Amino acid sequence: MGKKAHRSAAGAGTGSASATRKPAGAAAGGPASAGKRQAHGGVPPALAGRPRPEANVRAPTPTSAGAEEELQVEQGRRESLGCLDRVTADTGPQVVAATYWFDAAPAGQPYSVDIRFTGVRDGVRGKRTSQDRFDVVERVADVLPGSGRIGVTSRVEGLNPGAWRVTAGPAPRGGSPGVRLPRRASTANSRFGVLAQGPNVSLLSWPVLVGLGAVLALVLQAVLSARWGMNFGVVLAISAIGCLLGFVGGKVWYLVLHRKHPRELLTSGACIQGFLLVALGVVAGGSLLAGYPVGTVLDATAPGIFLGMAVGRPGCFLTGCCAGRPTSSRWGLVSSDRRLTLRRFPVQLAEAAAALVIGVVSLVLVLSAEPSVHGAIFAGALAAYTFARQLLFPLRRDPHTATGRAVTMAGCGLVLIGAVAVQAFG
C-alpha cells in the first residue's frame, strides 16, 4: 500500500490541508531499470563511475548481489549529503521534500492548479512497503496571473531513509483551462524532520540573526543603564533571564494562538508578543528587586529591543515564517512560506525597517534628553512599533481581524501621543 494524499491551500498557501490514503500505482524499478543497473556494474547510471571508500567495499558473492547494489546506492546517497544529514540519515522515519516549478499565466483571473508528486525509493529489493513510495497531490489556489515563476514544495513524512526518484506534474483535471504544465522527473534524498525544506528556506538564518539581535540589545542596554548610574552587570543578568523566559513565552503564545499541542513546544514557532510580555515582565520585576526605577530601566532597554528586532526580523524572511501575501507587483520579492516559493510582499523586511527607525529615534532621545517622566520613551517606542505592526498585518499571508486591528491601533495612537506630549512639554 502506498501513501496517497491530497493537500490544498487557499490564497496560495493559506488554507487547510486534508489527507486520504489509497493504493498507489505500480512500483518502479522493474526488469527494464534492473537491466540498466547491470549495464553499469550494479550501479544506477546516475551513480556510475563514483569512487567509493575502500573500507565500505565488499567483495561480491553469488548470494549478495542485491545487497551489494543497495550498498552502492546508499554510498552514493551519503556522499551527496551534508554533515548534519549524515548524522541524522538513519534517525527514524524521514521526510522527502520535492519542488515543482511552473510559470503563472501572463494574464487573466486568479486560478488554481493541482500538482501530483509520485516517488519511489531506490535500492529496494523485493516488494516496496508504504514507506518506500508515495503519491501526493498539492493544490495551489488563487494563482495570480503575471506573478512569475512559482515553486510548490511537497513534504512527505514517515518515509524510509534513502535516495528517491520523484515525478511531478499536473494532476488530471487539476489545472486552469489554457494552462499547460509539463511533467518533470528529479531525484531527492530523504532528510530528518525540519531539515527537509524547499528552496528559499534557510533555517539557520533565524537563530543566527535573532541571536545577534539579542546580543546587540543586551550590550546596548548595559551601556545605557551604566550611563544612568546603574550596575550594568545586575541589569544584564536580569535581562538575560528575561530573554530566556521570554523565548519560552513566545513559544507558548504561538501554541495557544495556533491551537497546537504542548508536546510541539520545542519544534513550534514563536510570537514576538509572547516574548515581549514575558521578557519585559521579568525586567520590571527584577528592577524592583534590585532597587532600580522600573521606568528608567525600561527607557534604557527600549533602543536595544527595537534595534535588535531590526537585526533579527530578516531571519523570518529568510526562513519562511510570517510570510507576506503573494503579489504580482514589481515591489515583491521571491520568498517562501515553506510550501510555496513565489513573489511576495516582504512584510518581514518592512517590519524590520520600522523597528530600525523606532530604535534609532529612541536611542537619540535617551542620549540627548533627560525625560521628565521615566518610562515615557519606552512606552512611546512600544506604541509606535505596535501601531506599525498592525498597519502591516493586511500584507501578511495570515492577516488578523480588521476590528481587532482598529482597536489596537487606536489605543497605540493615544499612548504615542501621550508619550510625545510628556517628552515635549513635561
Side-chain angles (χ1 to χ4, degrees), residues 208-272:
V208 169
L209 292 177
V210 170
L212 289 175
V215 171
L216 173 62
L218 292 174
V219 170
L220 192 55
Q221 182 204 42
V223 171
L224 294 177
S225 61
R227 181 175 177 270
W228 281 340
M230 292 177 280
N231 187 319
F232 74 89
V234 174
V235 175
L236 185 62
I238 293 173
S239 298
I241 296 172
C243 286
L244 293 176
L245 296 180
F247 182 71
V248 177
K251 281 186 165 289
V252 171
W253 189 291
Y254 181 92
L255 293 179
V256 173
L257 185 65
H258 294 85
R259 300 180 181 179
K260 301 286 187 179
H261 195 277
R263 64 171 173 265
E264 299 182 42
L265 180 67
L266 295 178
T267 58
S268 70
C271 290
I272 189 65

Side-chain angles (χ1 to χ4, degrees), residues 298-312:
L298 291 178
D299 281 346
T301 303
I305 286 180
F306 297 105
L307 291 176
M309 285 185 187
V311 174

Side-chain angles (χ1 to χ4, degrees), residues 190-205:
S190 65
R191 306 184 73 185
F192 176 70
V194 296
L195 297 180
Q197 300 290 341
N200 291 76
V201 176
S202 175
L203 295 178
L204 188 60
S205 63

Side-chain angles (χ1 to χ4, degrees), residues 111-205:
Y111 61 96
S112 300
V113 296
D114 289 340
I115 306 299
R116 183 181 184 183
F117 293 82
T118 58
V120 292
R121 188 167 71 95
D122 277 334
V124 177
R125 302 293 296 178
K127 185 178 180 181
R128 286 185 169 86
T129 68
S130 60
Q131 283 74 43
D132 295 320
R133 60 203 304 187
F134 63 83
D135 190 345
V136 176
V137 174
E138 298 280 354
R139 164 153 286 193
V140 185
D142 295 332
V143 176
L144 295 178
S147 57
R149 197 156 177 77
I150 298 174
V152 53
T153 298
S154 180
R155 297 179 69 255
V156 187
E157 303 178 355
L159 300 174
N160 288 328
W164 288 74
R165 286 172 289 158
V166 181
T167 302
R173 299 180 300 278
S176 174
V179 178
R180 299 176 62 87
L181 302 178
R183 293 182 61 81
R184 298 189 180 96
S186 62
T187 59
N189 287 312
S190 65
R191 306 184 73 185
F192 176 70
V194 296
L195 297 180
Q197 300 290 341
N200 291 76
V201 176
S202 175
L203 295 178
L204 188 60
S205 63

